[in-house]
């Protein structure tokens, strides 16, 4: 990424290096930049332009996308030379300016990634350069999520088994099953929506979600379960397609004929036909997928149209039955349903002109066609009746179908409440003439068979990479699809029960209605609409399964979490997973060899239910743990819903088939242990305590394996407090702030340092620990306390920073107090200790939080009913400034506060584009905040800045004379301070405030009108008894080191637009406030007599003071009413000569603000856009 901007040369003799733009200043080193040589002076005429190019990394990684990612350090001295941001310049190589990286932050969200974790995807520069530009995803909610989910959810069970389920389970029982299964998928979809909207979800769907939420072990186990479920779903769809083909479309195509076979022989022949044709269809489908998946995608809309047309045909048929029910007669012998295939009339005899003639039905049960023939006993004793198979929705048949009828295998399908003459001991003869139950049915079996018809809810999340706005489309599309399909399923249960005769519903293969598909008898205009439509949609669903399952296996294999599967990560040159497809086809063939749709359905139900259970578990755990990265855009979730969904999944697993459930759990557990490979050693020495110790030890050792992922990063605080002589804590509000930041989560260590030896101060240590514990309990801070004793407080604090924590359970951030009285001469060691702490945390890569004016921070009992938390994001140091307000707003104290983010635009930044990029970045972070870009235009360094720097440097020189006694030092301080202020302090007490308006004559070489510069009004953030106000014309071609002489302005020459008006304060210790007085000529003369002293100032300090003053000015202007201001804390000077100056810079930077939290990052990313 390169950013090019042009700075117009408009300031007279100023060199290009002086006017490159204020943002450039930030990257300058310790010493002021050189002039740039005579060539620069000669070439910089009026109207010349200086072009500066900022270079940054264009393809950052998540682990550290911006910190240390650019090559700024080597070129910063040439690239950056200004004055506005000098306070942050020493650390620009590790904490670059926000303005220079906002574009990268925004583009970071659209980085194309596969299912392999983005942070591990390492590409060589050559490979990257050869890549073609990725086309922006364009799919919306309807075509990207809703329609694929509809297509995947509606499937073979609806067309082949739904009517049978209603007949066996009854309307009430089946409705309960449908409601329970649909509730499970709806709850799972809610959990999935929360996970899917918690950042960018690359391809991989549920596998990616679970593996990134619960870890690789759970992710791998559940991913493989999901893969097996999808593969067996392919087998189920193929078996469904073959059932449609052989029973309803072309029954004569059977290789093993069923005619004349009974019982087990007929069943075996049917299963063998399914196996042969299923294998042929599987090979054909696998070939299509291997040749090109694009053909599958092109046919997807056709298959979807078949599904929708079939369902519409059923609803149209239901409406038609209310007016004109179709004629589908069912022949009953007694109360037994007859197979209506080999006879034409449902009657024993018919009357003709020649007399009574027997029918084909007579010949089926009698040994001759004559009336005196010997017939089957049951046939002789019972009459034949015809009932209407589809009596219609207004017939009242619903009452007869409300309750279920379960059968043993081989039982007769009989009509309830119909007269039948039979004896219990009579053997069943001519069994192949009746409609029989082909399997033993019970409630739990129905659940297992039905559940696959509600799977497919992951179709939208699997396509997240193709969606225009995945975080919006996935929840809306998935939940809308589940709502639609659930409505169709529940309504179909009631409508089937209200329209179709019970014996027809219980007739699985439609043998009693001339071999028609039962749901087809209800369809309008013809049963063939359903038969052909369901056949194509079932084939399409099988193709989708054979397309999706190998890619899921490839994603798991490429993650390298299951070493045995690595070979399946390879494929064709275009990325098609050849080996994965081969394995998928083999597993699918094992399902086809089972050959029974009713036996395969519970198997895939297990795997899908286990997958959904872990999706719910992931959402519940994330919600309960409240990890900082858990910020879903989808807000309508709760851990109780996820827990209920998880419980329903587990219950349904055991309801469907307890032995399949156990097998599925064993498979998942084995994969888990295999991935984990080396588990924790058990320690059963002391019962539960031994187990707890073993678990704790194992957890600590696991934490040592590496730093936490960005998603899991939260501030693990080491809180440093001081105690008085009675060992009472001097900063109790630090505990309140800790509680508000942590909310009882993660690690908190509260530490304090004592001076002396441990043996002599043991009692004080105990009192200090007791005081800390008591205050922690009062403020509800959950954690540990630690007291360290050393010969001096500096070493004791250093020991706390170095040694606190255990193993991987260590602090990553330090929260300490601001040394309030650092300006007092007898308290210099306090701020020196503070500075050393800042340096140590930087060296240890720990984050540092310094609340200023901690006494003004709210207690845990206070509530802000309104207000703002303002974030001033000046340099990017890992995202701490984004994370901390989010954590604070989780606490009830700050919950009602709105978040505002300000970033600073320099003269050459495109502030509109910066705001757009920052808004985009915040959207992907799932953080709601108002965004404002504050423009800081270039301005000359004011006289007040020079004066402030002069006072600071003279004070520093004085404190360095360590040989002076305390009293001598105080007198020296006072005398030097008096002399430095003497030139601006009025001898007349009535004239304390000097107002001076001076305008320079513009040079002849640049008389054109200059742009209006930012003004600072007299209502400055530095109120004090003594004020001096300077109005300094912006057109002055002065150099910071050599201010040009100021001339007395003629009347009427000044224009407010061309002036920079600065206000400053000098505090007179011990002097009462004096009334403002008029400016005097003597005062004017004294001020300009200070020029030689200005020339000797360290220009680096001048620029830093300028940064502090300018930033403080804009912060006061925007955030004076904010409840809390968070601000980047500049780094301490690399050399120790300017330590006290650093404290002064921070004081100036935060002056006039009520509550300030200074923040330094730990050198790593702590916030991510990814799930």
């Amino acid at each position: 990424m390169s950013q090019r901007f042009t700075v117009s040369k408009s300031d007279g003799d100023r060199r290009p290096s002086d006017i490159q733009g204020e943002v450039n200043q930030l990257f300058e080193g310790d010493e002021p930049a050189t002039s740039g040589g005579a060539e620069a002076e000669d070439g910089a005429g009026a109207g010349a332009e200086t072009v500066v190019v900022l270079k940054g990394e264009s393809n950052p990684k998540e682990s550290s996308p911006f910190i240390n990612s650019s090559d700024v350090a080597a070129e910063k001295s040439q690239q950056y030379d200004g004055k506005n941001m000098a306070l942050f310049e020493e650390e620009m190589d590790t904490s670059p300016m926000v303005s220079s990286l906002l574009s990268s932050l925004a583009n970071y969200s659209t980085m194309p990634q596969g299912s392999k974790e983005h942070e591990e995807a390492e590409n060589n520069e050559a490979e990257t350069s050869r890549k073609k530009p990725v086309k922006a995803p364009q799919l919306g909610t309807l075509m990207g999520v809703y329609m694929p989910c509809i297509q995947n959810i509606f499937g073979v069970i609806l067309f082949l088994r739904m009517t049978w389920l209603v007949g066996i389970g009854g309307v009430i029982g089946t409705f309960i099953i449908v409601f329970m299964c649909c509730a499970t998928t709806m709850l799972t979809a809610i959990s999935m929506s929360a996970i899917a909207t918690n950042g960018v979800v690359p391809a991989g769907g549920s596998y990616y979600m679970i593996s990134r939420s619960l870890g690789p072990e759970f992710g791998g186990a559940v991913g493989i379960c999901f893969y097996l479920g999808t593969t067996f779903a392919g087998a189920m769809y193929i078996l469904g397609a073959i059932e449609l083909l052989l029973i309803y479309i072309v029954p004569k195509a059977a290789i093993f004929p069923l005619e004349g076979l009974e019982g087990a022989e007929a069943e075996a022949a049917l299963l063998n036909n399914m196996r042969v044709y299923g294998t042929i269809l599987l090979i054909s489908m696998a070939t299509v997928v291997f040749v090109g998946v694009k053909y599958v995608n092109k046919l997807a809309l056709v298959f979807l149209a078949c599904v929708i047309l079939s369902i519409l045909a059923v609803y149209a048929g239901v409406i038609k039955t209310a007016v004109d029910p179709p004629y589908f007669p069912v022949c009953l012998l007694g109360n037994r349903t007859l197979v209506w295939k080999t006879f034409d009339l449902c009657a024993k005899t018919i009357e003709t002109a020649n007399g009574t003639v027997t029918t084909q039905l007579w010949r089926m049960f009698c040994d001759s066609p004559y009336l005196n023939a010997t017939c089957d006993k049951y046939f002789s004793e019972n009459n034949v009746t015809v009932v209407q198979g589809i009596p219609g929705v207004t017939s009242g048949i619903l009452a007869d179908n409300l309750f279920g009828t379960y059968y043993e295998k081989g039982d007769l399908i009989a009509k309830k409440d119909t007269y039948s003459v039979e004896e219990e001991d009579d053997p069943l003869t001519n069994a192949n003439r009746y409609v029989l139950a082909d399997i033993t049915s019970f409630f739990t079996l129905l659940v297992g068979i039905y559940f696959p018809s509600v799977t497919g809810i992951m179709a939208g999340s699997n396509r997240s990479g193709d969606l225009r706005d995945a975080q919006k489309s996935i929840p809306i599309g998935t939940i809308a699809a589940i709502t639609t399909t659930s409505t169709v399923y529940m309504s179909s249960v009631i409508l089937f029960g209200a329209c179709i005769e019970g014996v027809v519903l219980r007739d699985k293969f439609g043998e009693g209605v001339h071999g028609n598909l039962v749901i087809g008898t209800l369809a309008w205009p013809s049963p063939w609409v359903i038969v052909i439509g369901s056949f194509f949609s079932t084939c399409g669903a099988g193709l989708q399964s054979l397309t999706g399952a190998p890619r899921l296996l490839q994603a798991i294999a490429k993650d390298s979490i299951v070493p045995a599967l690595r070979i399946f990560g390879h494929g064709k040159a275009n990325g098609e997973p050849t080996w994965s497809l081969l394995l998928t086809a083999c597993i699918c063939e094992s399902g086809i060899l089972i050959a029974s749709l009713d036996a395969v359905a519970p198997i895939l139900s297990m795997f899908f239910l286990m997958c959904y259970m872990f999706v719910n578990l992931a959402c519940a755990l994330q919600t309960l743990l409240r990890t900082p990265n858990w910020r879903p855009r989808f807000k309508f979730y709760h851990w109780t819903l996820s827990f209920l969904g998880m419980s329903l999944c587990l219950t349904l697993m055991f309801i469907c088939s307890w032995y399949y459930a156990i097998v599925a759990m064993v498979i998942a557990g084995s994969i888990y242990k295999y991935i984990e490979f080396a588990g924790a050693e058990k320690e059963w020495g002391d019962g539960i305590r031994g187990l707890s110790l073993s678990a704790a030890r194992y957890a600590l050792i696991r934490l040592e394996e590496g730093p936490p992922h960005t998603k899991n990063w939260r501030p693990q605080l080491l809180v440093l407090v001081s105690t008085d002589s009675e060992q009472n804590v001097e900063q109790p509000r630090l505990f309140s702030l800790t509680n508000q930041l942590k909310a009882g989560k993660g690690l908190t260590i509260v530490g304090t340092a004592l001076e002396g030896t441990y043996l002599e101060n043991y009692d004080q240590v105990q009192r200090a620990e007791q005081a800390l514990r008591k205050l922690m309990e009062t403020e509800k801070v959950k954690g540990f306390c630690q007291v360290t004793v050393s010969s001096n407080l500096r070493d004791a604090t250093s020991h706390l920073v170095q040694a606190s924590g255990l193993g991987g359970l260590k602090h990553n951030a330090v929260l300490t107090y601001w040394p309030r009285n650092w300006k007092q001469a007898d308290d210099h060691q306090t701020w020196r200790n503070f500075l050393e702490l800042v340096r140590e945390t930087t060296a240890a890569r720990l984050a540092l939080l310094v609340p200023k004016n901690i006494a003004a921070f709210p207690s845990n009992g206070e509530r802000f009913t309104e207000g703002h938390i303002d974030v001033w994001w000046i340099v990017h140091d890992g995202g701490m400034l984004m994370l901390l307000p989010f954590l604070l707003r989780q606490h009830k104290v700050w919950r009602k506060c709105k978040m505002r983010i300000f970033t600073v635009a320099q003269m050459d930044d495109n502030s509109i584009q910066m705001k757009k990029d920052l808004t985009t970045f915040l959207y992907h972070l799932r953080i709601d905040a108002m965004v404002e870009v504050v423009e800081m235009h270039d301005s000359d360094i004011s006289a007040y800045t020079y004066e402030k720097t002069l006072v600071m440097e003279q004070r520093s020189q004085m404190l360095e004379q360590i040989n002076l006694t305390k009293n001598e030092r105080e007198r020296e301080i006072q005398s030097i301070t008096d002399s430095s202020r003497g030139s601006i302090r009025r001898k007349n007490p009535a004239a304390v405030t000097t107002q001076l308006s001076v305008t320079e004559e513009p040079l002849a070489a640049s008389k054109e009108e200059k742009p209006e510069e930012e003004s600072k009004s007299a209502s400055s953030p530095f109120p004090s008894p003594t004020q001096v106000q300077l109005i300094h014309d912006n057109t002055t071609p002065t150099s910071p080191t050599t201010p040009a002489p100021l001339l007395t302005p003629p009347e009427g020459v000044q224009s407010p637009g061309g002036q920079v008006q600065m206000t400053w304060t000098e505090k007179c210790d011990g002097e009462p406030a004096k009334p403002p007085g008029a400016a005097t000529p003597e005062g004017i003369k004294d001020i300009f007599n200070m020029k030689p002293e200005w020339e000797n100032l360290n220009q680096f300090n001048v620029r830093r003071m300028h940064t502090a003053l300018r930033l403080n000015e804009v912060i006061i202007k925007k955030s004076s009413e904010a409840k809390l201001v968070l601000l980047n804390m500049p780094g301490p000077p690399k050399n120790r000569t300017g330590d006290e100056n650093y404290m002064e810079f921070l004081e100036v930077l935060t002056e006039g603000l009520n509550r300030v939290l200074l923040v330094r990052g730990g050198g790593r990313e702590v916030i991510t856009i990814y799930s």
Side-chain angles (χ1 to χ4, degrees):
M1 179 196 72
S2 293
Q3 291 184 353
R4 180 186 178 94
F5 57 85
T6 303
V7 184
S8 295
K9 169 85 170 166
S10 59
D11 280 2
D13 290 342
R14 294 177 65 189
R15 304 181 183 91
S17 59
D18 292 332
I19 61 164
Q20 276 189 332
E22 300 186 8
V23 68
N24 308 352
Q25 159 68 22
L26 307 173
F27 294 78
E28 192 177 335
D30 285 349
E31 298 301 324
T34 57
S35 63
E39 295 82 8
E41 291 186 26
D42 296 337
E49 292 186 340
T50 301
V51 178
V52 184
V53 178
L54 304 184
K55 295 182 180 179
E57 189 116 11
S58 62
N59 192 19
K61 298 180 184 177
E62 182 205 330
S63 57
S64 182
F66 309 113
I67 293 177
N68 294 324
S69 64
S70 59
D71 199 20
V72 176
E75 303 179 9
K76 61 180 181 178
S77 59
Q78 290 83 9
Q79 291 181 357
Y80 299 96
D81 182 18
K83 52 187 172 293
N84 261 7
M85 290 296 157
L87 200 56
F88 298 92
E89 65 186 13
E90 286 191 330
E91 296 185 310
M92 278 299 127
D93 52 342
T94 57
S95 301
M97 275 293 292
V98 170
S99 59
S100 65
L101 285 170
L102 263 182
S103 178
S104 297
L105 286 165
N107 294 333
Y108 177 52
S109 64
T110 58
M111 190 164 55
Q113 294 287 350
S115 55
K116 182 174 180 179
E117 195 165 8
H118 48 85
E119 63 267 23
E120 295 175 358
E122 296 184 358
N123 298 316
N124 295 326
E125 291 181 6
E127 293 176 355
T128 306
S129 63
R130 288 198 300 269
K131 284 187 178 179
K132 295 180 181 179
V134 180
K135 187 179 178 181
Q138 293 297 328
L139 290 179
T141 303
L142 184 67
M143 295 308 296
V145 181
Y146 181 77
M147 288 301 184
C149 285
I150 290 284
Q151 183 183 354
N152 278 265
I153 294 172
F154 285 137
V156 64
I157 301 296
L158 174 64
F159 302 118
L160 291 182
R161 293 291 183 270
M162 197 68 187
T163 52
W164 177 76
L165 289 169
V166 175
I168 298 293
V171 172
I172 294 176
T174 310
F175 191 87
I176 291 171
I177 293 172
V178 171
F179 180 80
M180 193 161 50
C181 294
C182 291
T184 302
T185 52
M186 180 60 82
L187 292 171
T188 304
I190 290 171
S191 298
M192 185 195 73
S193 298
I195 297 173
T197 58
N198 187 49
V200 180
V201 180
S206 60
Y207 161 68
Y208 183 91
M209 294 180 202
I210 295 167
S211 63
R212 273 54 176 180
S213 297
L214 295 180
E217 293 89 357
F218 276 113
V222 178
I224 291 175
C225 284
F226 190 48
Y227 162 74
L228 291 173
T230 308
T231 305
F232 275 103
M236 184 188 72
Y237 291 130
I238 290 172
L239 290 173
I242 299 302
E243 186 177 307
L244 284 163
L245 183 71
L246 293 181
I247 295 178
Y248 305 110
I249 300 176
V250 279
K252 294 182 180 179
I255 296 174
F256 302 92
L258 302 176
E259 296 298 329
L261 299 178
E262 292 186 17
E265 292 180 353
E267 182 182 353
L270 176 62
L271 294 180
N272 287 330
N273 282 321
M274 301 281 281
R275 291 184 181 109
V276 172
Y277 278 99
T279 303
I280 293 171
L281 186 58
L282 171 63
I283 293 171
S284 304
M285 286 184 172
T287 305
V288 171
V289 173
F290 177 77
V291 169
V293 73
K294 61 182 179 180
Y295 301 111
V296 179
N297 293 332
K298 286 180 179 178
L299 292 172
L301 281 177
V302 177
F303 299 141
L304 177 60
C306 290
V307 173
I308 295 173
L309 286 174
S310 300
I311 292 169
L312 291 176
V314 172
Y315 278 99
V318 169
I319 295 170
K320 184 176 179 293
T321 63
V323 181
D324 181 21
Y327 181 67
F328 278 101
V330 179
C331 189
L332 299 178
L333 177 61
N335 64 352
R336 299 176 181 178
T337 310
L338 294 172
V339 176
W340 200 326
K341 284 185 179 178
T342 56
F343 63 92
D344 51 358
L345 290 174
C346 184
K348 293 181 180 180
T349 59
I350 54 174
E351 299 294 330
T352 64
N354 297 326
T356 303
V357 180
T358 59
T359 62
Q360 291 177 337
L361 183 62
W362 177 281
R363 298 183 191 106
M364 289 169 56
F365 288 93
C366 300
D367 56 2
S368 74
Y370 304 109
L371 292 173
N372 60 354
T374 303
C375 297
D376 182 87
K377 182 181 178 183
Y378 187 82
F379 179 78
S380 302
E381 295 177 351
N382 290 277
N383 294 324
V384 176
T385 55
V386 177
V387 296
Q388 172 62 293
I390 312 289
V393 72
T394 59
S395 64
I397 195 73
L398 179 63
D400 297 335
N401 294 328
L402 282 178
F403 301 101
T405 305
Y406 297 98
Y407 295 106
E408 294 290 330
K409 183 177 180 179
D411 285 355
L412 294 160
I413 305 298
K415 180 173 171 57
K416 299 175 185 177
D417 305 325
T418 301
Y419 180 73
S420 174
V421 178
E422 62 179 314
E423 296 180 9
E424 292 183 2
D425 297 334
D426 286 348
L428 178 62
T429 55
N430 295 300
N432 61 332
R433 313 296 185 200
Y434 303 109
V435 178
L436 303 175
D438 66 323
I439 59 171
T440 300
S441 54
F442 41 90
F443 181 80
T444 57
L445 173 74
L446 302 187
V447 176
I449 292 174
Y450 173 73
F451 187 80
S453 65
V454 295
T455 60
I457 62 172
M458 301 288 184
S461 63
N462 290 343
R463 289 167 171 77
S464 60
D466 301 324
L467 300 175
R468 190 183 303 115
D469 187 353
Q471 296 190 1
K472 176 185 176 184
S473 297
I474 289 176
I476 296 173
T478 305
I479 291 173
I482 292 175
T483 304
T484 303
T485 53
S486 300
T487 304
V488 170
Y489 282 136
M490 290 178 188
S491 63
S492 65
V493 169
I494 297 170
L495 293 175
F496 290 165
C499 294
I500 305 175
E501 170 62 46
V503 290
V504 179
L505 287 172
R506 292 187 283 277
D507 183 1
K508 183 184 289 186
F509 301 111
E511 294 172 308
V513 284
H514 300 281
N516 281 299
L517 181 64
V518 175
I519 194 174
T521 62
L522 189 62
W524 179 85
S526 166
W528 286 102
V529 175
I530 291 286
V531 174
I532 301 300
S534 58
F535 176 76
F536 279 112
S537 67
T538 305
C539 288
L543 279 172
Q544 293 283 358
S545 296
L546 288 177
T547 304
R551 279 158 180 73
L552 179 59
L553 181 63
Q554 187 181 42
I556 298 170
K558 282 188 173 181
D559 264 355
S560 300
I561 58 172
V562 185
L565 297 179
R566 281 177 186 161
I567 187 174
F568 298 106
H570 305 293
K572 292 195 291 185
N574 61 354
E576 290 295 318
T578 310
W579 290 104
S580 298
L581 177 62
L582 184 62
L583 178 64
T584 302
C586 292
I587 296 173
C588 196
E589 175 65 19
S590 69
I592 288 170
L593 292 177
I594 296 173
S596 171
L597 185 73
D598 303 319
V600 172
I603 295 175
L604 66 101
S605 292
M606 288 304 114
F607 292 122
F608 278 119
L609 279 166
M610 181 165 288
C611 175
Y612 296 166
M613 180 176 73
F614 280 102
V615 169
N616 284 297
L617 175 63
C619 181
L621 280 180
Q622 295 273 38
T623 308
L624 288 172
L625 292 175
R626 294 180 185 174
T627 52
N629 190 60
W630 183 244
R631 303 182 300 276
R633 287 204 168 274
F634 181 77
K635 301 298 183 186
F636 306 101
Y637 70 96
H638 195 268
W639 69 267
T640 53
L641 295 177
S642 301
F643 188 78
L644 179 61
M646 184 181 69
S647 303
L648 270 174
C649 289
L650 190 62
T651 304
L652 285 175
M653 284 177 67
F654 282 92
I655 285 177
C656 292
S657 173
W658 64 268
Y659 45 89
Y660 279 164
I662 291 174
V663 170
M665 287 182 169
V666 168
I667 292 173
S670 302
I671 298 168
Y672 179 94
K673 294 307 291 182
Y674 175 70
I675 295 172
E676 188 183 46
F677 197 74
E681 298 176 11
K682 301 294 181 241
E683 181 180 304
W684 305 105
D686 188 20
I688 299 299
R689 182 172 175 81
L691 180 62
S692 300
L693 287 170
S694 178
R697 180 177 64 85
Y698 174 64
L700 285 170
I701 291 172
R702 287 292 300 272
L703 283 174
E704 284 281 272
E705 292 176 4
H709 191 277
T710 303
K711 292 182 299 185
N712 298 326
W713 196 96
R714 67 160 73 241
Q716 313 288 10
L717 290 180
L718 170 62
V719 184
L720 297 178
V721 298
S722 61
T723 56
D724 57 19
S725 57
E726 298 298 323
Q727 307 310 320
N728 295 319
V729 177
E730 294 180 328
Q731 302 88 15
R733 283 296 166 87
L734 273 177
F735 289 76
S736 303
L737 180 60
T738 303
N739 175 273
Q740 292 155 25
L741 269 173
K742 303 290 290 182
K745 304 295 179 184
L747 173 71
T748 304
I749 302 173
V750 180
T752 189
L754 298 180
E755 194 170 1
T757 62
Y758 185 73
L759 290 176
E760 295 175 355
N761 294 278
Y762 179 77
D763 292 338
Q764 294 183 31
V765 170
Q766 296 301 309
R767 285 200 302 273
E769 283 188 358
Q770 189 175 0
L772 291 178
R773 284 199 187 96
K774 185 176 180 181
L775 197 51
M776 288 172 71
E777 185 177 344
T778 303
E779 297 293 342
K780 297 180 181 177
V781 174
K782 297 178 181 178
F784 312 96
C785 62
Q786 190 169 348
V787 180
T788 303
V789 184
S790 186
S791 56
N792 60 74
L793 293 177
R794 171 82 289 280
D795 290 344
T797 306
S798 180
H799 297 159
L800 278 172
V801 173
Q802 294 176 57
S804 294
L806 176 62
L809 195 66
K810 292 180 69 69
H811 56 278
N812 55 26
V814 176
L815 175 63
T816 189
Y817 56 93
W818 172 262
R820 251 182 337 143
N821 302 322
W822 69 272
K823 287 189 176 182
Q824 296 181 7
D826 57 349
D827 203 28
H828 69 281
Q829 196 56 46
T830 305
W831 63 261
R832 291 191 186 278
N833 292 348
F834 173 79
L835 262 175
E836 288 304 305
L837 177 63
V838 176
R839 288 192 172 101
E840 284 184 2
T841 54
T842 304
R845 297 177 68 83
L846 301 174
L848 179 64
L849 313 178
V850 183
K852 196 164 180 286
N853 195 14
I854 184 64
F857 276 66
S859 66
N860 291 330
E862 296 181 43
R863 301 285 184 278
F864 289 128
T865 55
E866 58 181 359
H868 294 96
I869 298 177
D870 285 359
V871 175
W872 283 84
W873 193 26
I874 298 165
V875 294
H876 178 73
D877 60 354
M880 280 285 288
L881 284 172
M882 301 291 182
L883 188 61
L884 293 176
F886 170 78
L887 294 176
L888 283 173
R889 290 182 67 235
Q890 305 304 303
H891 196 275
K892 50 195 173 185
V893 172
W894 303 92
R895 192 164 293 155
K896 298 287 181 67
C897 292
K898 304 292 184 183
M899 184 173 165
R900 295 190 300 190
I901 295 182
F902 298 88
T903 191
V904 177
Q906 302 294 316
M907 182 176 65
D908 307 288
D909 292 322
N910 184 341
S911 58
I912 297 173
Q913 185 62 38
M914 280 178 65
K915 183 171 182 177
K916 182 180 177 183
D917 291 341
L918 182 53
T919 305
T920 303
F921 183 55
L922 290 176
Y923 175 79
H924 287 301
L925 284 176
R926 293 92 62 206
I927 289 178
D928 296 320
M930 292 187 294
V931 174
E932 185 169 344
V933 178
V934 178
E935 296 184 354
M936 284 182 61
H937 297 296
D938 202 359
S939 66
D940 288 329
I941 298 176
S942 66
Y944 173 57
T945 302
Y946 283 109
E947 186 63 29
K948 189 90 172 170
T949 310
L950 177 64
V951 174
M952 178 186 71
E953 288 196 357
Q954 291 182 337
R955 181 180 179 278
S956 302
Q957 293 169 8
M958 187 202 25
L959 289 175
E960 287 175 1
Q961 300 179 22
I962 56 174
N963 295 326
L964 296 175
T965 64
K966 179 180 175 182
N967 292 334
E968 289 173 333
R969 192 177 307 150
E970 287 179 355
R971 286 196 297 271
E972 182 78 358
I973 290 170
Q974 192 61 42
S975 63
I976 293 178
T977 304
D978 290 344
S979 64
S980 66
R981 293 176 179 172
S983 58
I984 60 170
R985 181 181 294 146
R986 303 282 69 83
K987 295 178 182 179
N988 181 4
V992 176
T993 302
T994 302
Q995 262 193 333
L996 178 64
S997 298
V998 184
T999 306
E1000 285 188 54
E1001 298 259 339
L1003 291 184
S1006 58
K1007 290 187 178 179
E1008 64 271 11
E1009 187 177 349
K1010 300 300 183 290
E1012 182 176 342
E1013 288 293 325
E1014 190 174 337
S1015 297
K1016 184 171 183 181
S1017 67
S1019 58
S1020 171
F1022 313 113
S1024 95
T1026 308
Q1027 294 189 336
V1028 179
Q1029 198 169 45
L1030 254 164
I1031 300 177
H1032 184 67
D1033 192 286
N1034 184 51
T1035 62
T1036 307
T1038 58
S1039 152
T1041 55
T1042 57
L1046 298 172
L1047 305 176
T1048 306
E1051 275 188 305
V1053 190
Q1054 298 185 12
S1055 109
Q1059 298 169 349
V1060 175
Q1061 182 174 331
M1062 306 298 294
T1063 304
W1064 77 81
T1065 300
E1066 287 298 344
K1067 295 180 181 176
C1068 306
D1069 297 335
E1071 294 184 15
K1074 301 184 175 80
T1080 62
E1082 292 84 5
I1084 295 173
K1085 183 178 178 182
D1086 284 347
I1087 287 179
F1088 298 131
N1089 285 339
M1090 293 188 67
K1091 276 197 311 176
E1093 297 177 10
W1094 291 358
E1095 291 176 0
N1096 295 327
L1097 291 176
N1098 183 328
Q1099 295 305 306
F1100 188 53
N1101 286 339
V1102 172
R1103 289 196 313 275
R1104 288 195 158 204
M1105 183 65 74
H1106 182 67
T1107 301
L1109 287 169
R1110 290 298 308 281
L1111 275 176
N1112 182 261
E1113 174 187 347
V1114 294
I1115 293 172
I1116 288 289
K1117 182 178 179 181
K1118 298 288 185 180
S1119 302
S1120 58
E1121 300 298 323
K1123 300 299 182 185
L1124 177 63
V1125 175
L1126 285 88
L1127 180 65
N1128 286 114
M1129 182 177 180
K1134 293 180 180 178
N1135 51 34
R1136 298 176 184 270
T1137 55
D1139 283 0
E1140 58 280 351
N1141 298 344
Y1142 173 74
M1143 298 297 292
E1144 184 70 37
F1145 294 142
L1146 293 184
E1147 195 72 61
V1148 171
L1149 183 64
T1150 58
E1151 194 168 357
L1153 297 171
N1154 187 26
R1155 299 184 193 92
V1156 185
L1157 184 60
L1158 295 169
V1159 180
R1160 279 183 61 75
R1164 61 159 293 166
E1165 292 298 317
V1166 301
I1167 196 165
T1168 176
I1169 64 171
Y1170 287 92
S1171 172

